[in-house]
Amino acid sequence: MKRHKERKISYFAAHITTIVSVSLVLIIVGVIAMISVCGASVGRQVKEQIELNIILNDSVSNEQALGYSEGIKRNRYVNTITFISKEEAMQNWTRDTGENLEEIFGVNPLSPEISMTLKAEYTHVDSISAIVSALEADPLVEGVARQNTQEIVSTIDNIENMSIILGVIALALIVISFVLINNTVHLSIYSRRFTIHTMQLVGATNGFIRRPFIMGNMWSGLIAATLASAILVGVRSYIAAYEFPLLNRYLTWENVGLIVVGLFIFGAVICSVAALFATTKYLRQDYDQLFK
């Protein structure tokens, strides 16, 4: 009776070790995934702030300019578009410079303008240049003013490079975590290697023997994913509420949900595969090899 109780305690302790080890690994993987998502969100936001100002000819009326802006809006590369009439352009000029050009020249010399931002997929230097060239080819357009896109693109490249580095680190962690989890699961099954051999002697099939070990460790992976997800969600909620409110914009709950689902899948799969490898090893060993 005492030996049976010790065996149960040892088995329970082995699963606790597995759960804790897998939870720590999943927390690290989850943190890197969240940082990568934030980096991608920041990069996209920066890209979609690149602005092009289309200056139309003096002869273009507000009605023509408005119709032209509606036509541009249908292009797939447009993110947002704002029409600025001659009157609004004059008000902006007066506000910024303090000069009233209409009083000086007797007429409003300013042209209607269209301010537009591009979708992130079209913010590469070559794409922007092609879009500007296409816009300037229109007879209604006098010119297109754009920001210093080289500096913005350089910032974006730095963010993307950081995301690549984080991705490599995450991949390395996945490999390391598999080795660590495999060793942990291996140790938990090692204590029951004689049970596996006994089941073989009474005629149990390999699939029948593997099933409880794989299912037990799969549940350990799911429990570990639950703990890791709860910690990550709690930390994310605290930081977003008290330390960094903008995190709600960069790391949405939809993205957090996808990361949590990924952790559950990763935890269950990696523990199940590790249990499969470990049980297969002992199924192939004879009795004498079990003592090594």
Side-chain angles (χ1 to χ4, degrees):
M1 181 69 179
K2 183 178 180 181
R3 183 178 300 176
H4 179 68
K5 184 178 180 180
E6 288 177 351
R7 190 185 303 121
K8 287 185 68 176
I9 293 174
S10 175
Y11 182 70
F12 179 74
H15 276 273
I16 286 296
T17 302
T18 302
I19 290 170
V20 172
S21 301
V22 176
S23 296
L24 293 175
V25 171
L26 292 180
I27 288 172
I28 296 173
V29 173
V31 168
I32 291 179
M34 287 183 173
I35 294 174
S36 299
V37 170
C38 286
S41 297
V42 172
R44 186 175 187 87
Q45 183 179 5
V46 172
K47 288 179 180 180
E48 293 185 345
Q49 287 179 347
I50 296 178
E51 190 174 68
L52 299 179
N53 291 315
I54 306 171
I55 304 170
L56 302 178
N57 293 321
D58 296 341
S59 58
V60 177
S61 65
N62 286 335
E63 290 73 18
Q64 288 177 306
L66 185 59
Y68 179 69
S69 68
E70 291 296 326
I72 295 177
K73 189 186 296 185
R74 290 192 287 269
N75 289 316
R76 61 181 180 274
Y77 54 77
V78 175
N79 180 39
T80 63
I81 191 164
T82 304
F83 170 70
I84 304 172
S85 66
K86 290 185 176 183
E87 292 73 22
E88 289 172 329
M90 175 60 69
Q91 291 173 3
N92 294 337
W93 177 275
T94 303
R95 184 187 65 244
D96 295 338
T97 65
E99 296 179 346
N100 190 329
L101 297 180
E102 197 166 8
E103 292 181 354
I104 296 174
F105 296 100
V107 294
N108 184 350
L110 299 181
S111 306
E113 298 179 10
I114 299 171
S115 177
M116 60 182 287
T117 59
L118 307 175
K119 292 181 179 177
E121 296 80 9
Y122 297 91
T123 53
H124 299 288
V125 175
D126 294 339
S127 299
I128 294 174
S129 298
I131 291 170
V132 170
S133 298
L135 292 172
E136 289 179 337
D138 193 290
L140 297 179
V141 177
E142 182 178 335
V144 179
R146 53 177 166 171
Q147 297 169 297
N148 188 349
T149 55
Q150 192 62 46
E151 293 183 2
I152 297 175
V153 171
S154 177
T155 302
I156 295 169
D157 289 341
N158 291 334
I159 295 174
E160 291 178 346
N161 291 335
M162 186 177 296
S163 298
I164 293 173
I165 293 173
L166 288 173
V168 172
I169 294 174
L171 182 61
L173 276 175
I174 290 173
V175 175
I176 295 171
S177 65
F178 178 78
V179 174
L180 293 175
I181 293 171
N182 182 64
N183 290 338
T184 303
V185 173
H186 179 86
L187 288 175
S188 69
I189 297 177
Y190 175 81
S191 63
R192 304 186 68 193
R193 65 194 185 283
F194 290 107
T195 303
I196 294 174
H197 185 71
T198 302
M199 294 173 72
Q200 282 183 303
L201 292 177
V202 298
T205 63
N206 290 345
F208 181 83
I209 296 172
R210 289 191 188 101
R211 191 176 300 116
F213 291 100
I214 293 175
M215 293 300 296
N217 282 279
M218 183 188 73
W219 279 108
S220 296
L222 292 174
I223 294 171
T226 301
L227 294 175
S229 299
I231 292 172
L232 291 172
V233 169
V235 171
R236 189 267 181 202
S237 299
Y238 175 82
I239 294 176
Y242 299 103
E243 302 293 337
F244 191 45
L246 286 177
L247 189 63
N248 290 315
R249 181 191 303 174
Y250 301 138
L251 183 62
T252 64
W253 283 113
E254 180 181 355
N255 290 330
V256 173
L258 292 175
I259 292 172
V260 167
V261 171
L263 292 182
F264 272 90
I265 295 173
F266 179 67
V269 169
I270 201 170
C271 287
S272 300
V273 171
L276 174 64
F277 287 166
T279 51
T280 300
K281 174 183 177 181
Y282 291 116
L283 284 171
R284 292 175 178 175
Q285 291 182 342
D286 56 33
Y287 184 74
D288 292 333
Q289 291 176 317
L290 298 178
F291 291 93
K292 296 180 181 180

